[in-house]
């Protein structure tokens, strides 16, 4: 099962790890450095993709969940559920289960927790629209 092309575009894992590594040795505890890196990545995504909405830790949830889901820091897709929680897409859970199982892969998370664990989150458009954005 291949990763969709746009998911790869939104995979900021390496850049995120670099940002955290630069902050942690300084005066910042790891949790503050991680949150700051997520906020910085959200700013960079907003600049790179001005037509797509991106949320950082601390941002309020959208009034309704995006139909096509949300990309997280690693380009994985999350979908909102009727109970107000978000869950990793079945495609991504299936693909990742072959490699490792992290606690967040099997749980539905509230908005604020998801932003802190896997943010920033960027609105995913229909594939044909996304290519044109």
């Amino acid at each position: 099962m291949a990763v969709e092309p746009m998911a790869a575009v939104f995979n900021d894992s390496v850049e995120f790890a670099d940002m955290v590594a630069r902050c942690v040795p300084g005066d910042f505890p790891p949790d503050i450095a991680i949150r700051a890196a997520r906020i910085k990545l959200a700013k960079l995504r907003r600049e790179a993709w001005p037509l797509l909405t991106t949320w950082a830790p601390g941002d309020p949830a959208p009034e309704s969940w995006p139909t096509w889901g949300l990309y997280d820091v690693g380009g994985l897709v999350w979908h909102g559920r009727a109970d107000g929680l978000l869950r990793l897409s079945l495609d991504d859970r299936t693909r990742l289960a072959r490699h490792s199982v992290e606690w967040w892969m099997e749980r539905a998370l509230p908005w604020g927790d998801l932003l802190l664990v896997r943010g920033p989150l960027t609105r995913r458009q229909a594939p044909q629209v996304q290519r044109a954005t």
Side-chain angles (χ1 to χ4, degrees):
M1 192 177 297
V3 176
E4 73 172 272
M6 287 304 291
V9 169
F10 285 100
N11 185 343
D12 295 320
S13 299
V14 172
E15 188 172 2
F16 174 70
D18 288 345
M19 286 180 181
V20 172
R22 285 193 303 266
C23 292
V24 170
D27 297 328
F28 298 105
D31 58 332
I32 293 173
I34 289 169
R35 188 174 195 279
R38 292 187 191 289
I39 291 169
K40 172 78 173 174
L41 276 175
K43 181 180 184 261
L44 294 174
R45 279 190 181 183
R46 289 173 182 140
E47 290 170 0
W49 300 91
L51 299 178
L52 299 177
T53 306
T54 295
W55 294 267
D59 288 345
E63 291 186 25
S64 62
W65 298 128
T67 304
W68 289 90
L70 300 153
Y71 289 116
D72 71 8
V73 71
L76 302 175
V77 176
W78 292 78
H79 294 285
R81 301 182 342 175
D83 63 4
L85 300 176
L86 295 109
R87 179 118 196 236
L88 186 62
S89 71
L90 179 59
D91 286 346
D92 283 337
R93 285 195 317 266
T94 302
R95 184 173 51 81
L96 293 173
R98 291 181 282 179
H99 307 289
S100 68
V101 177
E102 300 286 339
W103 68 268
W104 50 264
M105 291 171 57
E106 291 300 324
R107 290 193 186 161
L109 299 173
W111 176 255
D113 290 354
L114 182 57
L115 281 171
L116 288 174
V117 173
R118 297 295 304 167
L121 300 174
T122 300
R123 181 182 306 272
R124 182 175 180 250
Q125 301 287 356
Q128 65 274 18
V129 173
Q130 229 164 222
R131 285 187 205 94
T133 303

